[in-house]
């Protein structure tokens, strides 16, 4: 079966990952999760983007926040608060089970890949879900106040500090998850999809893992990205704010430029299509704002159709 590989961060990317999972057969989709957001907190190993993708693909996601579980209870958090524990990073009671069990198994010597594979099977997820690497990579954000760890910047400081740069600590020594390289070498790979996640903090950490960018560039399949920007505004999260603070213009074209050498196709909102004239990428206008499940599936089909057209006429 012709495989599809999707690269995704958290919330925005997870919506398209779900659309792809629903239009593709089981076993056809492999989702690679950014692990640059991962951190140790309260003695627990937390992998937010893996969890957002897992909950979304399992239909357990919290539609209001995009992260954590739906129908959550917060007894642990309120009890922790009474003890003076750190409650700025909110861990629901059900979500806590994932962090406790993942931490236990990591300490027992299992890889993040093996744990994730077991969790997704137990949650009835048909798509494969795996971290970009089983080695630690930690996104750090350089700001006007100095370097901040990712969740400190993103959650504790609510993305307020002015961003001047990023680093992906550990990336140089990280080994790409081997299944990803194996999939990228498959001659019948149908498409590599870069989901509409934040390029700086969700996609580029994945591309920073040695060998991954080159393997994607060399693969037989078309590489198609979906813009996370609609008409100069980020669909969600701090992407637009980061672009302005980095001195970049907040457009779909700027995101394409970040992926430049990799992209064959780029799916953008109709109003952004013209801004890409003259670029060496095949632009497909589509409705990229996903609010309903049907939107997710429609966009997934548009991405796969764009990839299939590129395979026929490279
Ligand atoms: N994001 C928040 O803005 N506030 C939170 O309290 C929070 C808790 C949280 C718990 C588990 C988890 O998997 C994700 C969580 N997130 C929270 C999202 C997290 O910061 C992710 O890194 C973002 O979604 C960016 O990818």
């Amino acid at each position: 079966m012709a495989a599809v590989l999707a690269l995704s961060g958290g919330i925005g990317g997870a919506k398209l990952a779900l659309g792809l999972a629903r239009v593709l057969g089981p076993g056809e989709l492999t989702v690679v999760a950014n692990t640059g957001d991962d951190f140790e907190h309260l003695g627990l190993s937390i992998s937010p983007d893996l969890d957002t993708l897992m909950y979304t693909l399992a239909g357990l996601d919290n539609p209001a926040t995009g992260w954590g579980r739906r129908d959550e209870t917060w007894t642990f958090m309120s009890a922790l608060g009474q003890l003076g524990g750190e409650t700025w990073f909110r861990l629901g009671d059900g979500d806590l089970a994932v962090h406790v069990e993942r931490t236990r198994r990591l300490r027992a010597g299992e890889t993040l890949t093996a744990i994730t594979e077991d969790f997704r099977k137990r949650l009835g997820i048909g798509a494969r879900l795996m971290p970009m690497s089983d080695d630690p990579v930690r996104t750090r954000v350089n700001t006007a106040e100095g370097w901040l760890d990712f969740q400190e910047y993103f959650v504790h400081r609510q993305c307020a500090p002015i961003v001047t740069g990023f680093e992906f600590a550990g990336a140089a020594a990280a080994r790409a998850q081997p299944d990803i390289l194996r999939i990228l070498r498959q001659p019948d790979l149908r498409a590599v999809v870069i989901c509409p996640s934040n390029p700086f903090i969700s996609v580029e950490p994945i591309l920073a893992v040695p060998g991954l960018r080159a393997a994607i560039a060399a693969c037989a399949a078309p590489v198609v990205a979906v813009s996370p920007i609609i008409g100069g505004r980020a669909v969600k999260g701090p992407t637009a704010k980061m672009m302005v603070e980095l001195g970049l213009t907040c457009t779909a074209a700027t995101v394409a430029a970040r992926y430049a050498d990799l992209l064959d196709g780029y799916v953008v909102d109709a109003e952004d299509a013209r801004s890409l004239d003259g670029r060496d990428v095949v632009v497909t206008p589509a409705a990229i704002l996903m609010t309903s499940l049907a939107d997710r599936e429609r966009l997934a089909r548009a991405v796969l159709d764009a990839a299939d057209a590129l395979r026929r006429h490279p």
Side-chain angles (χ1 to χ4, degrees), residues 28-94:
E28 284 189 321
L29 177 65
T30 296
V31 182
V32 177
N34 165 44
T35 55
D37 290 7
D38 293 11
F39 72 139
E40 311 305 311
H41 183 61
L42 305 177
L44 297 168
S45 295
I46 296 177
S47 297
D49 284 352
L50 266 174
D51 289 347
T52 294
L53 283 159
M54 185 172 70
Y55 291 143
T56 300
L57 292 170
L60 291 172
D61 57 307
N62 179 326
T65 55
W67 51 264
R69 282 178 182 243
R70 65 184 56 197
D71 309 329
E72 189 57 281
T73 54
W74 301 93
T75 305
F76 167 72
M77 271 284 116
S78 61
L80 184 67
Q82 287 168 350
L83 298 171
E86 288 187 82
T87 55
W88 57 270
F89 192 82
R90 309 202 44 69
L91 296 174
D93 299 331

Side-chain angles (χ1 to χ4, degrees), residues 106-140:
L106 284 170
R107 289 199 182 130
E110 285 192 68
T111 62
L112 190 54
T113 295
I115 297 164
T116 305
E117 180 67 1
D118 185 49
F119 283 3
R120 67 104 180 166
K121 283 178 180 166
R122 288 174 184 275
L123 295 180
I125 296 169
R128 278 207 73 190
L129 172 62
M130 59 184 65
M132 64 197 195
S133 171
D134 282 323
D135 299 316
V137 178
R138 296 289 177 267
T139 299
R140 305 190 75 237

Side-chain angles (χ1 to χ4, degrees), residues 196-260:
S197 294
N198 182 312
F200 310 107
I201 57 174
S202 298
V203 178
E204 288 176 23
I206 300 175
L207 299 178
V209 174
L212 270 188
R213 196 178 187 111
I216 293 168
C219 79
V223 180
V224 181
V226 175
S227 172
I229 300 285
I230 297 179
R233 294 178 320 283
V235 175
K236 184 169 179 59
T239 305
K241 177 178 182 288
M242 287 178 174
M243 284 177 152
V244 170
E245 292 167 0
L246 293 167
L248 302 168
T249 54
C250 182
T251 62
T254 298
V255 175
R258 306 280 309 180
Y259 305 143

Side-chain angles (χ1 to χ4, degrees), residues 280-299:
D280 184 22
V281 67
V282 174
V283 175
T284 302
I288 62 173
L289 187 64
M290 295 174 277
T291 45
S292 68
L293 202 46
D295 292 345
R296 288 159 173 73
E297 293 178 5
R298 239 191 317 274
L299 183 56

